[in-house]
């Protein structure tokens, strides 16, 4: 069999003490829990850590960062932590609903989290608000908003974003998005100079 280790840490007290009134618990809570898991992995001499984040977690994080931090950032399916641990998220392409249905069919216990649902004043927390937003988006059109958003995270077009540093890093011209280096061909939209032409046209129309 596989050895089972149950970790017990009082993150609740730390989060409620350190979080300013009205702010979300999510960021600090997740950092504390990851730190605990990194430490445990190192003590167990494990070089890989599997986290249980799923598709909805990634999309909620994307919306949280866009709305509250002004960043286009979600959750990577795999990354290397600073401590040298290879972190993977094997459930990244599966929705929360599908996981809940599978867990119910197998009789797995579902452990509630008192932090994630709402803030101390009883209002929905920021992550819960993003859940509601995703549900609303899925209620529009063909109901594939979440699936399409996840697909979008794997099909990024730097030519049609405003991050000039990203364009340059991808081998594109900072200002126009035109292809400068061959490595940028994979992310250039259409023909090499098409993005520049579209941008110029958009600027003329705006003027």
């Amino acid at each position: 069999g596989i050895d089972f280790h149950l970790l017990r840490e009082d993150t609740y007290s730390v989060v409620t003490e350190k979080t300013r009134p009205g702010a979300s618990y999510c960021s600090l809570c997740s950092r504390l829990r990851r730190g605990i898991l990194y430490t445990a992995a190192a003590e167990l001499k494990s070089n890989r850590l599997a986290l249980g984040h799923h598709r909805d977690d990634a999309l909620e994080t994307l919306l949280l960062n866009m709305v509250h931090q002004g960043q286009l950032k979600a959750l990577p399916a795999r990354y290397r932590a600073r401590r040298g641990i290879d972190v993977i998220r094997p459930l990244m392409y599966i929705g929360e609903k599908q996981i809940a249905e599978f867990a119910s069919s197998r009789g797995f216990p579902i452990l509630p989290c008192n932090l994630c649902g709402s803030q101390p004043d009883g209002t929905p927390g920021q992550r819960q608000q993003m859940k509601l937003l995703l549900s609303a988006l899925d209620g529009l059109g063909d109901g594939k908003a979440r699936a399409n958003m996840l697909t979008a995270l794997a099909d990024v077009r730097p030519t049609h974003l405003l991050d000039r540093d990203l364009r340059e890093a991808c081998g594109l011209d900072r200002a126009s998005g035109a292809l400068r280096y061959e490595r940028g061909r994979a992310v250039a939209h259409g023909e090499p100079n098409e993005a520049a032409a579209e941008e110029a046209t958009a600027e003329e129309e705006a003027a």
Side-chain angles (χ1 to χ4, degrees):
I2 300 175
D3 291 337
F4 177 78
H5 299 269
L6 179 63
L7 305 177
R8 295 183 182 276
E9 298 284 348
D10 181 17
T11 57
Y12 183 90
S13 297
V14 177
V15 171
T16 53
E17 177 186 350
K18 300 295 184 181
T19 302
R20 68 180 185 276
S24 173
Y25 292 141
C26 295
S27 179
L28 177 57
C29 182
S30 63
R31 290 201 304 272
L32 289 173
R33 288 186 287 112
R34 281 200 305 272
I36 293 168
L37 291 174
Y38 292 159
T39 299
E43 292 175 349
L44 294 170
K45 294 180 171 53
S46 300
N47 61 4
R48 181 166 295 175
L49 173 65
L51 300 177
H53 298 107
H54 46 68
R55 179 196 68 188
D56 294 47
D57 289 323
L59 298 182
E60 291 161 14
T61 300
L62 172 67
L63 292 174
L64 281 169
N65 282 319
M66 291 176 66
V67 173
H68 297 287
Q69 302 297 327
Q71 293 181 327
L72 195 61
K73 182 173 65 175
L75 297 175
R78 181 174 182 175
Y79 67 96
R80 182 167 293 274
R82 292 181 180 177
R83 303 188 192 187
I85 299 173
D86 189 22
V87 181
I88 60 175
R89 293 186 170 103
L91 301 179
M92 182 59 69
Y93 297 95
I94 305 176
E96 182 177 25
K97 180 180 178 181
Q98 286 70 36
I99 295 173
E101 290 174 348
F102 179 79
S104 177
S105 69
R106 295 303 179 97
F108 294 159
I110 305 298
L111 303 179
C113 177
N114 293 328
L115 280 176
C116 293
S118 61
Q119 298 296 93
D121 60 3
T123 60
Q126 290 178 351
R127 184 165 291 274
Q128 186 65 24
Q129 292 172 2
M130 297 305 106
K131 284 181 179 290
L132 296 174
L133 178 55
L134 283 174
S135 295
L137 291 173
D138 250 349
L140 302 174
D142 57 7
K144 296 182 179 179
R146 297 183 209 215
N148 289 335
M149 290 174 68
L150 187 69
T151 300
L153 289 178
D155 190 9
V156 178
R157 305 299 176 95
T159 51
H160 287 60
L161 298 176
L162 305 181
D163 191 333
R164 297 192 174 195
D165 290 337
L166 176 61
R167 286 181 175 184
E168 187 173 48
C170 291
L172 306 173
D173 183 78
R174 286 177 60 89
S176 68
L179 184 68
R180 293 190 61 193
Y181 302 101
E182 187 59 30
R183 69 174 185 273
R185 189 174 297 279
V187 294
H189 183 69
E191 294 300 319
N193 293 318
E194 182 180 324
E198 288 185 1
E199 183 172 302
T201 300
E203 290 177 352
E204 290 177 1
E205 291 177 350

